[in-house]
Amino acid sequence: MDLTTLARQLTETIGAEHVSSTPDACAAYALAGQTPDIVAAPGSVAELGQVMALASAHRAIVTPWGGGTRQAHGGLLARAAGRPWLVIRTRRLNRLVEYEPADLTIVVEAGMTPVELDALLRPHGQMLPVDAPLPERTTLGGMIATAADGPRRLGYGLLRDLLLGTSVVETSGRISKAGGAVVKNVSGYDMMKLYLGSYGTLAIVATASFKLIPRPRDAATIWCSFATQAAAFALVEALHTSQLAPAAVEYLAGAEDLPAPRGLAVLAEGLQAAVERHVRDVSHLARQAGAQDVQILRDEDSTRLWARIANLPQTADPAPNELVVRLSCLPSDLNQALQDAASLADRHGLALLVDARALSGVAYLRLHSAATANQAGTALRAWHQELLVRWPYLAVLACAVVTEEGRPLKEHLSPWGPEPAGYTLMQRIKHEFDPQGMLNPGRFVV
Amino acid sequence: MERAQLIEELRRIVGSDGVLYRPEDLVTYDSDGCVMETHAPQVVVLPTSTEQVSAVVKLAAQAGMPIVPRGAGTGLSGGATPRHGGIVVTTSRMSRILEFDARNGRVLVEPGVINFELSQYLKPYGYQFAADPSSQKACTVGGNFANNSGGPHCIKYGVTGSHVLGAEVVLADGSVIWTGEGVPDRPGYDLTGILVGSEGTMALATKIWLKATRLPESTRVVLALFPDISNSVETVSQVIAGGFLPAALEVMDRLAIKAVNEAYKMGLPASAGAALIIEVDGVEDGLDELLAEIVDICNKNAAIEVRPARTVEEQTQVWAARKNAFGAMGRLAPTYYLVDTVVPRTRLPFMMEQVKLISQEFDLPIANVFHAGDGNLHPIILFDRSDPDQYQRAHEAASRVMKLSIEQGGVISGEHGIGMEKQEYMPLLFTADDLGAMAAVHESFDPNDLFNPGKIFPRTQTGKELASQRHAVMAGHTNGENEFDKVTRLIKSQGEKVWI
């Protein structure tokens, strides 16, 4: 392992001020107690390509790093002995490439944050309604790599539906693009779908183009407090059966700073009359379902609540005794899955925070133990194993807990659940893109 | 394997009535809706189950014969044409709707189900299958899956890819996997996403979980007639800028209006240079006010006539003009070449001007029907196929439209696919490295090029060749040149505009 040469070559390529190679300077990028050897921050797509080519020549292990908000997701990095570990930051790639508002599309570099993007879109009455957590820190590239979602996936679809094209830097340093900057395109394979949610294991996203949505004219939130989960889900069922078209329906339990400890937040967006109709009908359905209280939030109050909800799936850094998972299931199973999660949490003495996309079948669960670290590890591990038996689509998003032996608890968890169907095929794809096993080994399914 | 033996084996797998091999039977399968090139297969099979498809695929792999999947054959890019012969697997006997799960908004279908029949089936339950290509009365959902089909409503609802939850697919070794069933955010690579739109070149879907979308409570449609295309495009921009995304925005030009007038007695004014259909939907509340606003915008943009349609009957009539536009072209010429490209939507007026010039230059009438919301244009080049000179000119005119679309920041297909029709244009849109990445995926699925060979990738740069070139790059064997230098040189040659 010739770290000195790699560091020197990187310095020559992108400038000394953008390369860190001392343990102190790299400490901020440590993952699960391990510190990378070098952190490099290329300033252009071309430099990103060059950095990757150098990394490849040195058979480095590479961790692409956007805002660093989702580096805790998944498995532990498998650091092979004798191979340098390089973190490549994309944050300096934050330029606007192309934006003609009337086209309803935009092309940007991947290091841009959603807050920066929104500042460009807002004056033109447009938006990218993805609502990922920590929008001032997370990057669009990171959101693509982790397939980030937000409450409004119900109304506007997923990032998967809004991502029109990408250019990526591959392990060889070569740049390849896919898709385009137009909203409809069947020219060649939809490569973006493969990069989306691949956790940086195939290539590094350099630029991305998105389909934009006109900002709604009006919005209101109907907050419905419930005493029980069952009652809240009675409202979920009623909403499902109705022809109402809310932009978001979130079931929330155990979180602070919300109007009530347990409730359903329904967001209506669109024409003013349509929003008022939702306010009326949802309030009525909520009372029928036994809501204890119904509050209508507008303007700033509404915006603040949804900003809070969007951040619920994670904090900037996981708390010491915390486990964060994403559970997915068929929407019809969500009520039962959440009941199972809650009763297991009770049994193991864990506090549970639930943020569930109630009509989509996705829930972010945060488990916290007030016990000592060792007891917490045992309880969290048991909770995870028992829930995984019943609900196999359980992804570990964060867990900083350390076991009695001083090892990360993650080593004992199956971070992505059982082997997915088509696993062999996924391995073949991974091998075609990354034959040297450079990109984020151990972190993802493949 | 001898042909007779192959046929015998296939008959054993799918039954004797499920195998076609007489020359007169094979003619039907020698092309799809794109008749620029025809190639008859050696044999056609009509399986009824996944097990049969799997057995046929295993047999084909053993015999070294291509498998060419085929739905209704309505494709327009030669995707179902058996270029290298082989076994055409047609899904017409796999056409059952297996399960509708309203609670989870999903429906399980076999690939041979007709798109329109699926929506008809779902309608009484208050649901639809939202991808609605113009060929929906004939095309199959398996074909929609393969081509990632669009339709007039995808500005709001998205293309087929947004409505496929997962599929049971037969892989090149005959094994069968499920890529998803409707559980969201499954860990692992998005195999469903990469298979949709892969034009049958990587696997064959035998069951598909599709999203069933709730029908909107209410709909309003406006038909507005303008003196010129530019008025209609400006109207569309203003409607979108008003903060509301319509469900459909369709434009027909003067010649297309003439065709539907003649064919269907639509009675549209002859002075109209453009007809714009705007559809909005959602809950009933507010739609009438919105309709009034839209009518107002149309009038401000010099509309000759505006016909708001509130009732289902009125709306059906308005849509009939658009949906039958292609059929009406038969009134104007014996044959037409339907081009399908996309540009950023603000470039549409420029493209329409250019199409007019192309029409003059090649001396062929060109009608236009396009999706104004998403920049997808469809110049319809009218010609007589029996005249070799006209045939040649029609193809050159189409080629010009494709090149212009790329120059304008667009792409060469919005919804019809690449197939054989556009494979030679792929290098104009993509670099060898871009195509190489696609080839790498193809290599992972179908290393022996069993499924629908000779499509998508250019003939001069097959997927196989691109994949091996890429292997050399990955291994650092690129003619002795240091890869860092090579990357630097490549990036410099691409200039500032790396993307797009």
Side-chain angles (χ1 to χ4, degrees):
Chain A
M1 174 160 77
D2 187 0
L3 276 176
T4 324
T5 311
L6 178 56
R8 179 176 50 75
Q9 289 172 333
L10 288 169
T11 302
E12 285 165 8
T13 309
I14 61 174
E17 66 274 38
H18 303 301
V19 181
S20 311
S21 53
T22 63
D24 277 356
C26 295
Y29 302 90
L31 292 176
Q34 299 197 73
T35 306
D37 299 309
I38 305 178
V39 177
S44 67
V45 177
E47 284 188 1
L48 177 58
Q50 291 173 311
V51 168
M52 273 303 279
L54 289 173
S56 179
H58 288 267
R59 298 187 71 242
I61 299 293
V62 171
T63 295
W65 193 290
T69 61
R70 312 181 139 231
Q71 293 291 352
H73 287 200
L76 296 164
L77 188 76
R79 252 187 105 170
R83 295 180 72 172
W85 176 21
L86 173 66
V87 162
I88 300 182
R89 295 199 59 199
T90 58
R91 187 66 184 95
R92 289 178 66 217
L93 301 177
N94 61 353
R95 283 172 289 256
L96 168 66
V97 180
E98 210 169 274
Y99 180 35
E100 169 58 59
D103 287 338
L104 283 179
T105 59
I106 193 166
V107 186
V108 295
E109 289 181 342
M112 183 179 277
T113 66
V115 166
E116 288 165 348
L117 179 73
D118 198 56
L120 297 170
L121 304 180
R122 187 178 284 271
H124 299 283
Q126 296 177 357
M127 61 178 186
L128 182 72
V130 179
D131 312 326
L134 308 176
E136 59 295 315
R137 262 187 68 191
T138 197
T139 61
L140 294 163
M143 286 163 59
I144 292 169
T146 57
D149 77 330
R152 288 190 291 173
R153 65 185 276 166
L154 179 68
Y156 299 99
L158 294 162
L159 194 49
R160 187 179 187 266
D161 305 305
L162 301 168
L163 179 66
L164 303 175
T166 50
S167 68
V168 298
V169 170
E170 301 196 36
T171 55
S172 61
R174 299 272 179 105
I175 296 166
S176 61
K177 71 169 194 290
V182 289
V183 294
K184 214 165 153 195
N185 183 4
V186 293
S187 314
Y189 298 151
D190 242 353
M191 301 296 293
M192 307 80 75
K193 300 279 199 297
L194 212 50
Y195 304 134
L196 189 92
S198 66
Y199 279 86
T201 58
L202 296 175
I204 304 185
V205 180
T207 68
S209 61
F210 300 100
K211 173 181 175 175
L212 303 174
I213 306 286
R215 273 192 136 79
R217 296 184 186 186
D218 197 16
T221 300
I222 306 100
W223 170 272
C224 318
S225 304
F226 285 97
T228 64
Q229 183 189 313
F233 271 80
L235 176 54
V236 171
E237 290 302 318
L239 289 172
H240 171 77
T241 321
S242 78
Q243 275 181 309
L244 298 173
V249 177
E250 297 277 295
Y251 169 71
L252 302 147
E256 291 166 2
D257 306 333
L258 293 177
R262 190 195 304 276
L264 207 69
V266 180
L267 175 66
E269 290 188 335
L271 301 171
Q272 198 188 0
V275 168
E276 291 318 311
R277 157 82 181 281
H278 280 80
V279 167
R280 273 196 317 275
D281 285 13
V282 175
S283 305
H284 175 71
L285 291 171
R287 289 197 188 91
Q288 275 188 335
Q292 295 169 307
D293 179 33
V294 176
Q295 293 177 36
I296 311 303
L297 309 178
R298 297 179 194 271
D299 307 316
E300 278 304 298
D301 293 338
S302 173
T303 314
R304 233 189 334 267
L305 175 69
W306 288 102
R308 165 83 183 124
I309 293 173
N311 278 341
L312 280 179
Q314 73 177 105
T315 47
D317 299 297
N321 279 357
E322 191 179 42
L323 169 68
V324 185
V325 301
R326 183 188 64 212
L327 179 151
S328 39
C329 61
L330 287 173
S332 60
D333 290 335
L334 188 60
N335 187 14
Q336 183 61 52
L338 293 180
Q339 278 176 21
D340 290 351
S343 60
L344 282 172
D346 270 353
R347 188 187 308 162
H348 294 290
L350 298 164
L352 172 66
L353 183 158
V354 180
D355 170 21
R357 321 268 190 251
L359 280 166
S360 308
V362 175
Y364 291 91
L365 308 175
R366 291 172 66 166
L367 282 299
H368 187 266
S369 169
T372 63
N374 287 341
Q375 289 169 330
T378 311
L380 290 169
R381 185 175 171 184
W383 179 89
H384 181 261
Q385 280 178 345
E386 288 167 38
L387 193 64
L388 189 61
V389 171
R390 291 181 220 174
W391 304 98
Y393 299 109
L394 206 55
V396 174
L397 303 188
C399 178
V401 182
V402 176
T403 65
E404 228 166 300
E405 301 80 34
R407 305 292 306 164
L409 177 64
K410 261 195 187 177
E411 282 181 358
H412 302 282
L413 304 176
S414 167
W416 299 106
E419 196 172 278
Y423 182 63
T424 319
L425 209 44
M426 292 178 195
Q427 282 180 312
R428 267 188 249 145
I429 294 172
K430 167 71 176 172
H431 187 73
E432 285 287 335
F433 279 83
D434 184 14
Q436 296 194 75
M438 289 171 65
L439 287 167
N440 265 346
R443 292 280 306 281
F444 193 46
V445 176
V446 188
Chain B
M1 192 180 291
E2 290 295 313
R3 186 161 183 269
Q5 192 197 341
L6 177 79
I7 290 167
E8 200 40 52
E9 293 279 332
L10 289 171
R11 288 163 73 113
R12 195 179 47 74
I13 297 168
V14 299
S16 52
D17 61 343
V19 183
L20 305 175
Y21 53 87
R22 289 184 315 205
E24 61 269 33
D25 293 332
L26 298 179
V27 172
T28 316
Y29 298 91
D30 67 6
S31 71
D32 56 14
C34 170
V35 291
M36 54 185 264
E37 243 183 79
T38 57
H39 300 273
Q42 269 85 18
V43 55
V44 176
V45 293
L46 298 88
T48 55
S49 69
T50 306
E51 292 70 27
Q52 290 184 1
V53 173
S54 163
V56 170
V57 168
K58 280 179 189 157
L59 182 66
Q62 193 193 331
M65 286 183 89
I67 288 276
V68 181
R70 182 186 175 95
T74 56
L76 292 166
S77 62
T81 302
R83 156 164 284 163
H84 299 302
I87 304 170
V88 164
V89 176
T90 178
T91 56
S92 52
R93 290 188 183 177
M94 298 176 77
S95 56
R96 290 173 301 168
I97 297 170
L98 300 171
E99 185 186 342
F100 172 47
D101 174 6
R103 177 58 189 88
N104 290 306
R106 60 177 189 159
V107 58
L108 181 64
V109 296
E110 289 182 326
V113 170
I114 305 293
N115 175 298
F116 184 73
E117 286 174 9
L118 176 59
S119 272
Q120 288 299 106
Y121 167 86
L122 293 172
K123 208 171 170 180
Y125 302 101
Y127 286 82
Q128 61 174 328
F129 176 54
D132 61 343
S134 293
S135 57
Q136 69 177 154
K137 289 202 171 153
C139 67
T140 64
V141 294
N144 298 161
F145 178 99
N147 289 290
N148 196 7
S149 304
H153 288 91
C154 47
I155 170 133
K156 175 168 177 182
Y157 291 97
V159 291
T160 299
S162 293
H163 301 282
V164 177
L165 299 169
E168 177 195 69
V169 296
V170 176
L171 301 173
D173 62 357
S175 63
V176 180
I177 61 163
W178 276 95
T179 65
E181 70 299 270
V183 172
D185 305 357
R186 290 160 50 116
Y189 298 142
D190 184 0
L191 300 180
T192 308
I194 196 74
L195 284 171
V196 172
S198 64
E199 302 189 25
T201 60
M202 298 204 284
L204 204 156
T206 44
K207 291 190 187 81
I208 311 172
W209 274 113
L210 295 170
K211 202 182 275 182
T213 303
R214 203 82 166 88
L215 282 166
E217 186 177 89
S218 285
T219 301
R220 298 287 186 279
V221 181
V222 178
L223 172 65
L225 297 142
F226 296 93
D228 212 315
I229 291 278
S230 57
N231 308 116
S232 64
V233 174
E234 182 53 31
T235 302
V236 168
S237 291
Q238 289 177 15
V239 168
I240 292 174
F244 192 89
L245 195 65
L249 291 160
E250 296 292 304
V251 174
M252 289 189 290
D253 77 349
R254 191 181 304 276
L255 197 52
I257 294 171
K258 181 169 177 253
V260 296
N261 260 346
E262 283 179 17
Y264 304 104
K265 309 274 175 293
M266 295 297 297
L268 302 174
S271 59
L276 167 66
I277 296 173
I278 303 175
E279 181 174 304
V280 291
D281 66 15
V283 291
E284 169 69 23
D285 309 61
L287 281 188
D288 279 327
E289 293 87 330
L290 184 65
L291 187 69
E293 276 178 43
I294 291 171
V295 168
D296 195 38
I297 294 173
C298 292
N299 286 328
K300 282 188 177 135
N301 283 288
I304 302 168
E305 193 183 323
V306 185
R307 299 181 184 178
R310 288 184 181 81
T311 67
V312 174
E313 292 71 32
E314 288 167 350
Q315 291 171 9
T316 309
Q317 208 187 343
V318 165
W319 269 111
R322 167 63 182 86
K323 293 207 168 175
N324 294 317
F326 296 132
M329 293 302 154
R331 294 280 169 139
L332 302 178
T335 339
Y336 64 83
Y337 185 154
L338 175 56
V339 187
D340 162 46
T341 70
V342 192
V343 292
R345 47 171 305 278
T346 50
R347 322 278 163 91
L348 277 171
F350 172 80
M351 285 302 293
M352 289 300 115
E353 287 300 317
Q354 294 297 310
V355 168
K356 208 185 284 175
L357 295 176
I358 291 168
S359 165
Q360 286 160 7
E361 185 185 336
F362 292 95
D363 193 23
L364 291 172
I366 304 181
N368 283 285
V369 170
F370 59 90
H371 308 299
D374 44 32
N376 190 188
L377 55 150
H378 287 314
I380 305 162
I381 306 169
L382 303 166
F383 71 107
D384 182 352
R385 192 182 155 75
S386 64
D387 177 343
D389 183 53
Q390 286 200 27
Y391 180 87
Q392 183 65 23
R393 279 186 279 141
H395 279 79
E396 281 172 23
S399 171
R400 192 70 70 77
V401 174
M402 282 186 245
K403 287 173 183 162
L404 265 171
S405 299
I406 294 172
E407 278 169 30
Q408 292 301 306
V411 297
I412 51 177
S413 182
E415 49 189 9
H416 297 172
I418 301 300
M420 302 199 298
E421 185 206 4
K422 292 176 175 173
Q423 61 188 154
E424 302 310 327
Y425 296 90
M426 288 289 273
L428 299 181
L429 191 60
F430 294 113
T431 66
D433 286 336
D434 303 339
L435 292 171
M438 294 181 200
V441 178
H442 183 263
E443 189 73 2
S444 313
F445 276 89
D446 185 15
N448 297 317
D449 223 2
L450 181 76
F451 286 116
N452 211 2
K455 307 291 170 67
I456 298 181
F457 297 103
R459 258 181 276 201
T460 47
Q461 261 182 318
T462 64
K464 198 78 204 163
E465 286 159 6
L466 286 159
S468 8
Q469 282 164 19
R470 186 185 161 86
H471 291 158
V473 169
M474 289 291 186
H477 305 310
T478 45
N479 307 325
E481 188 181 359
N482 173 313
E483 189 59 23
F484 176 80
D485 295 339
K486 185 137 191 164
V487 164
T488 306
R489 188 169 55 75
L490 271 173
I491 292 168
K492 281 190 178 148
S493 74
Q494 285 170 325
E496 277 302 296
K497 212 168 163 170
V498 172
W499 163 268
I500 307 186

